[in-house]
Amino acid sequence: MNENQPNSLPPEYFDHVYQANRDPWDFETSPYEREKYAATLAALPRPHYAQAFEIGCSLGVLTAQLAPRCDHLLAVDVSEAALAQARARCAELPQVDIKLLRVPEEFPAQQFDLVLVSEVGYYWSPIDLARATEQILNSLTPDGQLLLVHWTPPVHDYPLTGDEVHEFFLAKAAADGPLRHLATQRHATYRLDLLEKR
């Protein structure tokens, strides 16, 4: 892991990004994002989840697509500008609860049978990744699933790479670890890993 950038990216970083561009990563229009969202949803083996938690929901594009498969979906982000768009997009989805929340400094006190960490883990420092991992593990129900999806090329601003994030979680799927590794996909510029709590 890159110890030269020990700090997680702060909420102000994302506020500036969204102030400069309402859709800075082209979540709404990019064919790449559309294909990745389809692969993300297809990777979930269960048709339905009772309690799901999406960390880093941004504009809520994936949130709205995931919602029909959830009884309740808690979607959080650190940027109020992004969340305003997510709330508007999910306004007709009563099962979606959108909140301003900064993981790992804050974490919901409930149990989930699905946690989605998509394009957010590389914003954490190694220390915060470790803290978030323990929180996620503690929040998963028995047989609860964790889906990781991350861009893999290095980005200068980011403390970690997508591969480093995934390998950290996969270390928890060792022979006697708390997770089972169910599936992996590696695409040209992103990877996807599905894990399940033992």
Side-chain angles (χ1 to χ4, degrees), residues 132-145:
T133 300
E134 289 308 307
Q135 291 169 334
I136 290 167
L137 288 174
N138 290 335
S139 76
L140 282 171
T141 60
D143 298 325
Q145 294 180 340

Side-chain angles (χ1 to χ4, degrees), residues 35-181:
E35 184 277 329
K36 188 183 67 179
Y37 292 152
T40 298
L41 295 169
L44 294 172
R46 299 175 189 163
H48 198 79
Y49 294 86
Q51 296 287 334
F53 182 32
E54 181 187 5
I55 302 174
C57 66
S58 186
L59 310 181
V61 179
L62 180 58
T63 312
Q65 296 177 45
L66 177 61
R69 294 175 63 176
C70 305
D71 287 341
H72 180 255
L73 171 57
L74 173 60
V76 305
D77 203 276
V78 299
S79 170
E80 188 56 59
L83 291 174
Q85 294 186 60
R87 289 189 186 101
R89 178 169 281 107
C90 298
E92 303 301 316
L93 298 168
Q95 72 271 45
V96 177
D97 189 12
I98 294 173
K99 290 187 176 178
L100 183 69
L101 193 81
R102 185 179 181 185
V103 174
E105 286 81 0
E106 304 165 289
F107 202 91
Q110 61 190 93
Q111 296 285 289
F112 303 99
D113 57 345
L114 173 64
V115 176
L116 176 61
V117 182
S118 177
E119 308 293 7
V120 69
Y122 41 56
Y123 299 136
W124 289 323
S125 67
I127 290 171
D128 281 346
L129 173 62
R131 288 175 62 199
T133 300
E134 289 308 307
Q135 291 169 334
I136 290 167
L137 288 174
N138 290 335
S139 76
L140 282 171
T141 60
D143 298 325
Q145 294 180 340
L146 167 63
L147 184 60
L148 308 168
V149 187
H150 288 88
W151 174 264
T152 49
V155 179
H156 174 72
D157 285 351
Y158 300 175
L160 298 169
T161 67
D163 281 321
E164 288 174 324
V165 172
H166 285 234
E167 293 306 321
F168 189 87
F169 278 100
L170 288 174
K172 303 290 185 182
D176 57 350
L179 294 172
R180 286 185 289 266
H181 188 200

